Amino acid sequence: MIIVDNIGKAYGSEIVVDIQQLQINVGETVGLVGNNGAGKTTLFRLLLDLIKADRGQILSKEKNVATSEDWKSYTAAYLDEGFLIGYLTPEEYFYFVGKLNNRSKADVDEFLKTFDAFFDGSILKSGKYIRDLSKGNQFKVGIAACLLQNPEILILDEPFANLDPSTQMRLIKMLKEMQEQKRMTIFISSHDLNHVTDVCSRILLMEKGKIIKDLQKNEETLKELEQYFKV
Amino acid sequence: MLFTLLSHEWKSFWRSRSAGKSLAVQIFLGFIGLYLLMVAISVGIFLKTFIEKGFPGQDTILVFCGFILYYFFVDILFRFFVQELPTLSIQPYLGQNIRRSQLIQFLNVRSIFNFFNLLPLLLFLPFTIVTITAKYGAAASANFFISIFALTLFNHFLVLFVKRKTIVNSWWLVIFFVAIAVLGLCDYFKLFSLSHVSTIVFSKFLFHPWLCIVPIAMAVLSYLNNYRFLYKNLYLEDIERKSKRKEGADYTFLDRFGTIGELIAVDVKLLLRNKRPRSMLILSTIFLFYGFLFYKPQYLTNGDWGFILMGAIIITGLFIMNYGQFLFAWQSSHFDGLMSSNLHASTYIKSKFLLLIAVSTIIFLLSTLYGFMAWQIVLIQIAAFLYNIGINMLIVAYFATRSYKAIDIDRKAAFNYQGTSAAQWFYMLAVMIVPTAIYLPFSLLINKWAGIAALGIAGLISFLLQDWWIGILTKEFFKRKYLILQGFREK
């Protein structure tokens, strides 16, 4: 599905991403872990063609993401508030995203009904613009907007960081369902080792731009990660 | 403590992201500031001569006295629009071990460093020192000086107070403007004369130095009032705008345009729901009245159609120029999202074009009312309109692909140069040069109407080639997409 081919990115003399070869297959749930500055967000931005790579390329369905715009139709991502339109109400934003993906308003409404529990009553009909929502609630809007696109590839940057515990649990459940029912390819980064090993079938450990460990999940994975992050 | 806080403020000014980057803009603004300063100083120095020339045979000092209240009247109004509230900068200190009174002191002291507070000193001080001292002695002069300074501070804190009040309750805004309007109208219709009152009051000051107690008292009261208000309301939620319930809007007529319609709907919401674009819209509406400035009767009678054309280009293109100069930057806060959503760049650019054309058409239709001045104006405006939607819009979009600066749409627009970069200055140059280059050869070789026709036809042809242009602009956009994205991420 995604092939990262010898990609490199540096800011000045500081190398942020330096990956020789990485392949992500259809239906895989991949978790990206690493300390701050390891290059997780930069890698995501490269995947979404938001920054220019110094060398190498990223192929999505055999097409270079930097030269073809085809990936946009089956990829959904939420990295930060920069993906939300602050001056819209959540509903307006959902309709907007729906429209971009050829989903009618009724269709979007129907979809949003399944998110009632996830939204916990604080998103829809809240009488607020997105910019006035709390960070956690903005995140919920972002995640829901991603799933609304019914993507084949889903990219989320630290989805658990701003959510309350119950929503974290709901999100984990949702991600698992997506993977099982729709064979969605999911790529998330997280600092929460428990959650990420719970959700993901494969863990990539990044350090200074390099992927230093590529683990298929088993009972030992969490321990191994904890060993790495031990102070 | 006050000193530490002020030093932080100093640092925040010099270290702000926009300070270092846009050196050219800083230098330009510096020159403008210097220029204004020089003007103010020279007006101050030559005030006596001006008054003698303008009001021959009258006592200069009495004329001067008549001016003072006028000045402070206009000052209040002007301050209201331009002066910023120094509020949010205290947010990080609220949790620290700093007494509330100290914070308020800081807010108030910090706010005093303002061009408006320097201006009256520059304007009035030379006159006070030279002329008044010569005739009425040092005591009267000192009295004047102190009074003027005190009135400045009175205005300063009054405006801060009223502005803060209007944030909490918009009725204050209405009351404020009604009061100002009533005063202004009374003066205009000679119900009473501000200048008369001013002369009576301030001529008393010449003989009774102790009277400066009154303005001082006014200043102190104004300060205390502001202090008290802040003391009671120094909670973030009070300083922040009380938010009303926001309802979504649905522009069903745009639905039929599919994705492009949806993008335009988002743009319309951007225009209506954010401070800076909203004030840009209001400014644009004011520009509509520029016709009365540009379409001068002597141009019409002399047949100086070239000048009229220039005015027509500005009026029919005002939205294209004002909105277009930040075409993509308006959406800088969510550009990452737009660029990774299921949306082709060409569709995005096309939606921008349609918005510019639609609004420009409305403006053009409104501007045809100038036809009542002379029918030729309508013809010229048609040519100018065609030029604007055919060519000017392309220039604007091209420079937008070279503009990498983010703007914060939630800040006010007046004197806001955030997001302005070299691209904007080049654009301004292009705006002047391109139409001249099309118009001039034809008007010199044949006649002025040929020049105007050439401009209109060139615009129309280019307009018909729009889809082709969009292809080219999309390529240009992709060449610099990463630069734009990176620039927009750096707020």
Side-chain angles (χ1 to χ4, degrees), chain B residues 67-76 116 119-120 123-124:
Chain B
F67 267 130
I68 298 176
L69 272 190
Y70 264 124
Y71 174 83
F72 285 107
F73 179 70
V74 176
D75 181 65
I76 281 201
F116 285 102
L119 197 61
L123 283 175
F124 300 141

Side-chain angles (χ1 to χ4, degrees), chain B residues 241-371:
Chain B
R241 191 173 281 268
K242 281 253 162 61
S243 52
K244 274 182 248 128
R245 204 185 150 74
K246 308 288 193 311
E247 293 299 337
D250 191 4
Y251 309 120
T252 35
F253 60 96
L254 286 170
D255 277 353
R256 74 191 72 163
F257 298 106
T259 306
I260 288 185
E262 193 65 29
L263 285 167
I264 292 177
V266 168
D267 258 333
V268 171
K269 285 165 190 166
L270 179 138
L271 280 166
L272 297 177
R273 292 178 185 177
N274 295 288
K275 241 183 186 172
R276 191 162 167 186
R278 212 164 38 210
S279 37
M280 189 276 300
L281 268 186
I282 294 167
L283 273 179
S284 296
T285 324
I286 295 169
F287 278 141
L288 249 179
F289 294 99
Y290 263 33
F292 294 109
L293 262 161
F294 286 117
Y295 305 155
K296 286 198 178 129
Q298 70 256 35
Y299 294 158
L300 293 170
T301 44
N302 296 348
D304 283 337
W305 306 120
F307 287 110
I308 305 260
L309 179 67
M310 197 176 73
I313 289 176
I314 293 178
I315 289 167
T316 55
L318 50 91
F319 184 73
I320 290 180
M321 294 189 229
N322 276 326
Y323 186 75
Q325 62 172 329
F326 302 120
L327 199 60
F328 306 139
W330 293 115
Q331 293 184 303
S332 52
S333 70
H334 51 270
F335 212 63
D336 272 358
L338 279 179
M339 283 304 109
S340 52
S341 55
N342 188 16
L343 165 72
H344 285 273
S346 58
T347 320
Y348 179 63
I349 293 175
K350 187 154 191 174
S351 81
K352 292 282 178 188
F353 273 17
L354 279 179
L355 175 78
L356 291 177
I357 293 169
V359 179
S360 295
T361 311
I362 297 171
I363 290 171
F364 165 69
L365 290 177
L366 287 174
S367 73
T368 50
L369 289 174
Y370 283 116

Side-chain angles (χ1 to χ4, degrees), chain B residues 344-406:
Chain B
H344 285 273
S346 58
T347 320
Y348 179 63
I349 293 175
K350 187 154 191 174
S351 81
K352 292 282 178 188
F353 273 17
L354 279 179
L355 175 78
L356 291 177
I357 293 169
V359 179
S360 295
T361 311
I362 297 171
I363 290 171
F364 165 69
L365 290 177
L366 287 174
S367 73
T368 50
L369 289 174
Y370 283 116
F372 286 111
M373 290 170 84
W375 59 269
Q376 290 97 330
I377 290 179
V378 178
L379 287 185
I380 295 174
Q381 281 183 163
I382 291 175
F385 171 65
L386 289 174
Y387 163 76
N388 272 318
I389 59 168
I391 299 175
N392 197 0
M393 201 167 72
L394 298 178
I395 304 176
V396 124
Y398 175 75
F399 279 104
T401 68
R402 291 188 162 272
S403 175
Y404 315 131
K405 285 227 166 91

